[in-house]
Amino acid sequence: MTVTIKDIAKVAGVSYSTVSKALNNSPLVKEITKRKILKVAAEMGYEPNLAAKQLVRKKTDVIGLMWPTIERIVLATLVTNISKAFETTSYSMILSVDAPETAMDTFKKFQVDGMIVFGESNSITVSTENIPVVIYGVSGKNESAYPIIDANHEASMQKAVQHLVELGHRRIAYIGHLDQEDALQSEKVEGYEKAMKHFKLDENITIINSNGLNWFDGYTATDIMLEQDKRPTAIIGGSYDISGGILRALQEKGVQVPEDISIVSYDNIPQMATMEVPMTCAGVPVDVLAEEIVHSIIERIESDEEIELVKKLSPTLTERESTGPPPEIL
Amino acid sequence: MTVTIKDIAKVAGVSYSTVSKALNNSPLVKEITKRKILKVAAEMGYEPNLAAKQLVRKKTDVIGLMWPTIERIVLATLVTNISKAFETTSYSMILSVDAPETAMDTFKKFQVDGMIVFGESNSITVSTENIPVVIYGVSGKNESAYPIIDANHEASMQKAVQHLVELGHRRIAYIGHLDQEDALQSEKVEGYEKAMKHFKLDENITIINSNGLNWFDGYTATDIMLEQDKRPTAIIGGSYDISGGILRALQEKGVQVPEDISIVSYDNIPQMATMEVPMTCAGVPVDVLAEEIVHSIIERIESDEEIELVKKLSPTLTERESTGPPPEIL
DNA sequence: TTGTATGCGTTATCAA
DNA sequence: TTGATAACGCATACAA
């Protein structure tokens, strides 16, 4: 038998409505009584019944996170961070890795107060009725009915290039996945080109297609790059995994990082610090991203006003040991 | 306002207890009335209130999955499969990626009917009171208070070696991570050795330490292996990632698979079929594993009898294109 | 075969 | 400052 507030009431010698108030830290109950009740509750191992609470409050304090594709480490890290961010709030988070429709059903069943969705806004085919939604993904071109949180990819590339330029680099190459279908990838490449032009380095633009987002794709792309003449003095890697491959390929060919070639990676996650060479990176720090997502959905739940539809987060450049001045000016 | 059974009752012109019975497909209500009620319910867009149901049923039909470490793809695939397996049951699954204690709290709050835990049994420090638990992990040496589901690693290796022996191979090497701390890895190596001995191939035992579980670890280990003389005619890769690296290294050196060297990989996941060379593999198919885990926890919830404490699942060998007869006997 | 009444554990309203 | 009591939406024992 689980213990309820009525059980506590009996033991503490008060009415159960007083117990309820005490448990909710209501100012309507005397300090001494409150303390006594709290003590009894703890002793009896009381655990509130969420279902009962929900039945009267019409609120679950639970937010659902839809994560249909478990894959890349960056997203996994983001999920962990979001989960952590919720701990400081009054909300709990549940996760579904199912297809959007199934996940929606589960969330509806639990009557979550809000939803976070990873991916395209068009993945929400099911009607969300009045339940607040925040999307994390590419804001891109197409209109969305829901607020989107997105990193400012262009600004990330701008910062990456700027950092390298300030160190004295001019021949800065970009290695990443060139995929027309993937708006995120396109935005990164375009950001790189734009930044290079901004620094009048138009003729130094070098884009190498890794043909994929995995570790090995970066690895092979780098091999190809090294065979060409006029080797760049710096490389911008399109993702954590790709940069890992780039770094490894360079190491194997005896190319020193950063003495011979500097690397800046896209994505700003803690794992960057523990790579073979601690990696300088540009991107929205994953904890900031998580904090923003959590904040957004809660705000959307608790305030009636519509919040801005697209929120682009500003990236940070985190300098580590993979970047330094180019060899020429050493 | 959401629609309740009372609303339906009014519209259908019956009492709400009749509605309740009809909705639960009770035989106590006439077929015609039932149909009518169901129709009205559908028209009104009725969605049952889980909280209310739970309050009287003392059951949530929800199972929590504790997954503290989002990392290797094998586990990600397993999670997806478990999630899918639940769809055919009356249960839903929620996922927590938090630390065990936090996850436990969340699950208790939701009053889940049962829990699936990935990892060591000793990760459950919090008292689970009477809530059923099933662990997926290495059964290993230490006693566990909870039932454990585990793959029979030894049998997997036995099947892998046997398959290669039947094809005519004798020089069969093993490339995997040799880690004293990791019971799973040890069991695989020991299984390989045991199998080799069983086939009187004691002197052909070749174990190469990849010093890690990642793609690249398999890649480097293979490079090292190829430099040695008396190259094996077959390799057993210790995991999906490692085998990917092995395959890539061989391809790069112009070694044909399976013409020059055959590969069998540990782990039995669908991704094996879509590798550069579709991979023959040995292990418990991930859908079987998922099915078993789901079945176990449900059984433990629904039946009072204690189920067996350790359940070792039998592996399957799935033959694909990475294995063939050794070059000598072609 | 259908309807009435009760209770699940909690919050919230009102009275004491 | 405390207590009694009515919801919340549903299942179910019991009455009709």
Side-chain angles (χ1 to χ4, degrees):
Chain A
M1 226 3 230
T2 50
V3 15
T4 73
I5 51 172
K6 294 193 182 177
D7 300 324
I8 300 176
K10 270 191 207 122
V11 175
V14 292
S15 80
Y16 70 83
S17 76
T18 305
V19 174
S20 173
K21 285 170 199 149
L23 255 21
N24 288 301
N25 199 25
S26 159
L28 296 176
V29 43
K30 224 193 318 192
E31 199 54 46
I32 315 169
T33 343
K34 195 184 285 183
R35 253 202 295 278
K36 183 178 170 191
I37 292 174
L38 254 31
K39 185 160 156 279
V40 172
E43 279 170 6
M44 299 179 73
Y46 169 75
E47 297 255 7
N49 184 323
L50 194 72
K53 196 180 286 194
Q54 168 180 352
L55 199 53
V56 11
R57 287 189 52 223
K58 303 285 192 185
K59 195 163 180 307
T60 52
D61 287 347
V62 171
I63 285 164
L65 170 52
M66 252 172 73
W67 185 23
T69 48
I70 318 186
E71 30 167 13
R72 299 191 38 224
I73 190 161
V74 191
L75 284 187
T77 309
L78 181 56
V79 169
T80 313
N81 274 272
I82 290 178
S83 186
K84 216 170 287 160
F86 271 120
E87 282 177 27
T88 65
T89 74
S90 58
Y91 291 84
S92 299
M93 185 194 95
I94 63 176
L95 199 56
S96 171
V97 296
D98 292 309
E101 302 80 39
T102 317
M104 274 293 304
D105 282 347
T106 308
F107 290 164
K108 267 192 191 157
K109 205 171 127 185
F110 277 104
Q111 320 211 98
V112 297
D113 292 342
M115 282 175 37
I116 298 169
V117 176
F118 278 12
E120 313 294 319
S121 63
N122 50 21
S123 65
I124 314 182
T125 48
V126 203
S127 112
T128 58
E129 267 128 64
N130 352 358
I131 136 169
V133 171
V134 164
I135 298 186
Y136 167 67
V138 181
S139 46
K141 45 232 150 209
N142 35 4
E143 286 290 309
S144 162
Y146 309 102
I148 292 194
I149 304 226
D150 192 8
N152 192 333
H153 313 291
E154 216 167 73
S156 298
M157 285 303 163
Q158 169 78 23
K159 289 213 168 185
V161 172
Q162 179 176 346
H163 172 64
L164 291 167
V165 167
E166 283 170 0
L167 283 169
H169 294 270
R170 297 187 58 79
R171 291 205 307 281
I172 302 166
Y174 176 78
I175 299 184
H177 185 35
L178 271 49
D179 186 350
Q180 298 287 359
E181 303 291 294
D182 189 340
L184 171 58
Q185 306 314 321
S186 312
E187 286 198 7
K188 288 192 275 192
V189 187
E190 283 157 23
Y192 160 77
E193 290 180 301
K194 205 159 166 181
M196 290 295 278
K197 283 175 189 158
H198 175 261
F199 288 105
K200 307 267 182 283
L201 296 172
D202 305 51
E203 44 189 58
N204 287 302
I205 291 179
T206 313
I207 298 168
I208 296 156
N209 190 354
S210 59
N211 276 309
L213 283 165
N214 297 318
W215 197 93
F216 188 72
D217 302 315
Y219 184 86
T220 6
T222 306
D223 272 358
I224 292 168
M225 186 207 74
L226 288 176
E227 282 164 18
Q228 301 171 345
D229 40 30
K230 255 207 151 190
R231 177 197 282 187
T233 63
I235 303 173
I236 297 174
S239 76
Y240 170 74
D241 292 311
I242 289 178
S243 300
I246 295 173
L247 184 54
R248 186 68 227 175
L250 293 178
Q251 302 267 18
E252 273 179 46
K253 299 290 179 299
V255 179
Q256 298 287 314
V257 176
E259 290 77 5
D260 302 325
I261 291 187
S262 288
I263 312 180
V264 177
S265 179
Y266 183 82
D267 283 340
N268 201 331
I269 55 178
Q271 288 94 324
M272 292 288 184
T274 55
M275 292 174 75
E276 290 179 271
V277 174
M279 183 71 67
T280 297
C281 60
V284 180
V286 69
D287 52 339
V288 171
L289 200 51
E291 206 67 61
E292 186 58 42
I293 292 173
V294 168
H295 177 254
S296 272
I297 185 66
I298 292 180
E299 187 171 75
R300 226 177 123 69
I301 290 170
E302 297 182 351
S303 97
D304 312 308
E305 320 147 27
E306 293 296 302
I307 57 171
E308 43 185 336
L309 225 53
V310 175
K311 188 155 200 172
K312 286 226 175 202
L313 267 39
S314 297
T316 304
L317 186 120
T318 306
E319 191 172 356
R320 296 207 179 84
E321 295 167 31
S322 66
T323 45
E328 295 101 332
I329 65 168
L330 269 182
Chain B
M1 226 6 229
T2 51
V3 15
T4 74
I5 53 172
K6 293 191 184 179
D7 301 324
I8 300 177
K10 268 191 209 123
V11 176
V14 292
S15 82
Y16 70 84
S17 80
T18 305
V19 174
S20 173
K21 285 170 200 151
L23 255 21
N24 288 301
N25 199 25
S26 159
L28 296 176
V29 43
K30 224 197 313 196
E31 199 54 44
I32 316 169
T33 341
K34 195 183 287 183
R35 252 202 295 279
K36 182 178 171 192
I37 292 173
L38 256 30
K39 183 160 158 279
V40 173
E43 279 169 5
M44 299 181 72
Y46 170 74
E47 298 252 11
N49 183 320
L50 192 73
K53 198 180 281 192
Q54 167 180 350
L55 200 54
V56 7
R57 287 187 52 220
K58 305 284 195 181
K59 198 163 178 304
T60 51
D61 287 348
V62 171
I63 286 165
L65 171 50
M66 251 172 73
W67 185 23
T69 48
I70 318 185
E71 30 167 15
R72 298 190 41 222
I73 189 165
V74 193
L75 284 187
T77 310
L78 182 56
V79 169
T80 313
N81 274 270
I82 289 178
S83 186
K84 217 170 286 160
F86 271 120
E87 282 178 26
T88 63
T89 73
S90 58
Y91 291 84
S92 299
M93 185 193 94
I94 62 176
L95 200 54
S96 171
V97 296
D98 292 309
E101 303 78 40
T102 318
M104 274 293 304
D105 282 349
T106 309
F107 290 164
K108 267 192 189 157
K109 206 170 126 187
F110 278 103
Q111 319 214 107
V112 297
D113 292 342
M115 280 174 39
I116 299 169
V117 177
F118 279 10
E120 313 292 318
S121 61
N122 50 21
S123 64
I124 314 182
T125 48
V126 204
S127 112
T128 58
E129 269 130 60
N130 348 357
I131 135 167
V133 171
V134 164
I135 297 185
Y136 168 66
V138 181
S139 45
K141 44 233 150 210
N142 38 2
E143 286 288 310
S144 162
Y146 308 102
I148 291 194
I149 303 221
D150 193 7
N152 191 334
H153 313 289
E154 215 166 74
S156 298
M157 285 303 162
Q158 169 79 23
K159 288 213 168 181
V161 172
Q162 179 177 346
H163 171 65
L164 291 167
V165 166
E166 283 170 358
L167 284 169
H169 294 271
R170 297 187 60 77
R171 291 205 307 282
I172 302 166
Y174 176 78
I175 298 184
H177 185 35
L178 272 49
D179 185 351
Q180 298 287 358
E181 303 291 294
D182 188 341
L184 170 59
Q185 306 314 321
S186 312
E187 286 197 8
K188 288 192 274 192
V189 188
E190 283 158 24
Y192 160 76
E193 290 180 300
K194 205 159 165 182
M196 290 295 277
K197 283 176 189 158
H198 174 263
F199 288 105
K200 307 268 183 283
L201 296 173
D202 305 51
E203 45 189 58
N204 287 304
I205 290 178
T206 312
I207 297 168
I208 295 157
N209 190 353
S210 60
N211 277 309
L213 283 166
N214 296 319
W215 197 93
F216 189 73
D217 303 315
Y219 184 88
T220 8
T222 307
D223 271 357
I224 292 168
M225 186 206 74
L226 288 175
E227 283 164 17
Q228 300 170 346
D229 40 31
K230 255 210 151 188
R231 175 198 282 188
T233 62
I235 303 173
I236 296 174
S239 76
Y240 170 74
D241 292 311
I242 289 177
S243 301
I246 294 173
L247 184 54
R248 187 68 227 174
L250 293 179
Q251 303 266 21
E252 275 180 41
K253 298 292 178 302
V255 179
Q256 298 288 313
V257 176
E259 290 76 6
D260 302 324
I261 290 187
S262 288
I263 311 180
V264 177
S265 179
Y266 183 82
D267 282 341
N268 201 330
I269 54 178
Q271 288 93 324
M272 292 288 184
T274 55
M275 292 173 74
E276 291 179 271
V277 175
M279 184 70 69
T280 298
C281 62
V284 180
V286 69
D287 52 339
V288 171
L289 200 51
E291 206 66 62
E292 186 59 42
I293 291 173
V294 168
H295 177 254
S296 273
I297 185 65
I298 292 181
E299 187 171 76
R300 226 178 122 70
I301 290 171
E302 296 183 349
S303 97
D304 311 308
E305 320 147 27
E306 292 297 302
I307 58 171
E308 44 185 335
L309 226 52
V310 175
K311 187 156 201 173
K312 287 225 172 203
L313 267 39
S314 298
T316 305
L317 186 121
T318 306
E319 192 172 355
R320 296 205 179 83
E321 295 167 32
S322 67
T323 45
E328 295 100 334
I329 66 168
L330 269 183

